[in-house]
Amino acid sequence: MVGDMRLFVGWCGFPWCMFVGSWLFEGLEVVRYVRDATPVVPPEPIVELNNVSGDTLRQLLVRLRQLVSLVTVVAWARRVGLRVFVHASAMPDPVNDFVRAALAGGADGVLVDDFVSISSDLIEVVHVGEKVSDGSVNYVVVGPDVQVQQPVRAYGVILRDVVINKEWLLRIRDKLRLTYGSKEFLAALDNSLLRREIIEELQGVVDGIVVMEIPSVVSLDFDGHKALNVFRCVNCYIDYETEGEMRKCPRCGNRLRPVIRRWDKLTVIEPKVLRLKANDEIKYMRLGAPKVINY
């Protein structure tokens, strides 16, 4: 099957999802698309393609679901004030795609250990374990029932087997800080725990989270419709969908930020710029979804 297709977010476990993966569109005939590190509200479109086969679209769906899910969880945790690291074991090949996704969500770095390691000059790589070189920032991974005989001094402690209970977490946090003299207390979360309500529950209890698995928090779909241009007013918190161009918000007169629009040339953001763009976008996003108006 060959034709014109619109790819869009069908569902997201958060009020908005962050998009990443525009480099996967290279070589395709792109009409409109969302730039990386841009929040999108379901069911807004993320790309419109011409003359694309169904097989190509299905391959895009598989790759993009993982990337968009990862960047969305990272961005949401950053939005509520948590530090975020991604464990190297969560990153399948091609690793650089997932490093870019982490950057596009504003991640603080990637954690490696004695068993899983990656090499990247795009994102900070932090070793987890007791044996680190002098002057290095080190994190140790412990369970809630740890019995420490000769504790090492650690910059941060990562708690595995987390129980989502505020009183329990505070008790474990205080115990581990006393034992290790650590400055940071991070919770290691697998796919089952990477949900909005849990991330929000951890606010004020932990300093950050470690993503241990690629989450599954979005669904993507495609149809034969054309994508509308989408412009966002960060003052009114409204997304306007329109066939034409809009420069100012009809309600308040402020300048609109484009979400999806026609581009003469596919512009892939350099990986080292992604985190800067993510932080800029996240500061404008709220904890609920913007209202969508067909204008």
Side-chain angles (χ1 to χ4, degrees), residues 119-286:
S119 178
S120 175
D121 60 354
L122 303 177
I123 194 169
E124 183 178 3
V125 178
V126 180
H127 184 82
V128 177
E130 299 179 4
K131 296 180 180 180
V132 295
S133 60
D134 292 340
S136 298
V137 173
N138 68 316
Y139 292 79
V140 294
V141 181
V142 300
D145 56 350
V146 63
Q147 299 296 325
V148 182
Q149 300 298 324
Q150 294 180 327
V152 297
R153 305 298 288 180
Y155 181 84
V157 175
I158 301 169
L159 179 66
R160 64 175 187 267
D161 304 324
V162 173
V163 175
I164 307 302
N165 177 280
K166 187 173 183 178
E167 292 183 1
W168 181 87
L169 280 168
L170 288 172
R171 186 168 63 251
I172 296 295
R173 182 192 69 181
D174 294 342
K175 171 187 174 182
L176 292 176
R177 282 180 171 169
L178 181 64
T179 301
Y180 286 95
S182 55
K183 295 183 179 180
E184 283 194 348
F185 177 57
L186 308 178
L189 304 182
D190 60 18
N191 183 30
S192 66
L193 296 178
L194 290 168
R195 305 197 305 269
R196 173 188 178 181
E197 61 272 18
I198 289 178
I199 291 175
E200 292 176 350
E201 183 76 13
L202 295 176
Q203 284 182 274
V205 181
V206 304
D207 298 302
I209 65 171
V210 178
V211 178
M212 300 300 297
E213 292 182 296
I214 297 298
S216 179
V217 298
V218 302
S219 69
L220 303 179
D221 208 344
F222 60 89
D223 58 27
H225 299 150
K226 290 186 178 296
L228 294 174
N229 295 327
V230 180
F231 300 92
R232 175 172 298 143
C233 176
V234 296
N235 180 53
C236 298
Y237 208 48
I238 293 175
D239 282 5
Y240 294 98
E241 296 183 333
T242 175
E243 292 184 359
E245 296 290 317
M246 296 182 69
R247 296 183 180 275
K248 293 185 178 181
C249 175
R251 295 195 174 191
C252 71
N254 280 350
R255 186 175 64 86
L256 298 173
R257 296 165 65 89
V259 176
I260 183 170
R261 59 176 301 171
R262 182 181 296 273
W263 295 96
D264 295 331
K265 181 180 180 181
L266 183 69
T267 305
V268 177
I269 301 173
E270 290 294 323
K272 292 184 179 180
V273 181
L274 275 177
R275 192 171 188 273
L276 295 175
K277 184 176 186 300
N279 291 334
D280 184 54
E281 290 283 355
I282 290 170
K283 72 182 180 183
Y284 289 110
M285 298 306 295
R286 304 178 193 176

Side-chain angles (χ1 to χ4, degrees), residues 37-112:
T38 300
V40 180
V41 182
E44 289 178 340
I46 56 179
V47 65
E48 179 187 340
L49 302 167
N50 278 341
N51 302 316
V52 61
S53 70
D55 287 341
T56 298
L57 279 172
R58 280 184 282 273
Q59 291 173 10
L60 278 175
L61 288 176
V62 173
R63 297 279 300 281
L64 286 174
R65 278 194 196 104
Q66 289 184 307
L67 296 176
V68 174
S69 289
L70 175 60
V71 68
T72 298
V73 164
V74 173
W76 187 263
R78 291 283 299 172
R79 178 63 184 83
V80 300
L82 298 176
R83 296 250 289 162
V84 186
F85 292 90
V86 182
H87 199 280
S89 62
M91 294 186 171
D93 290 327
V95 170
N96 274 345
D97 280 358
F98 294 92
V99 169
R100 286 187 180 187
L103 286 168
D108 293 281
V110 173
L111 299 181
V112 301

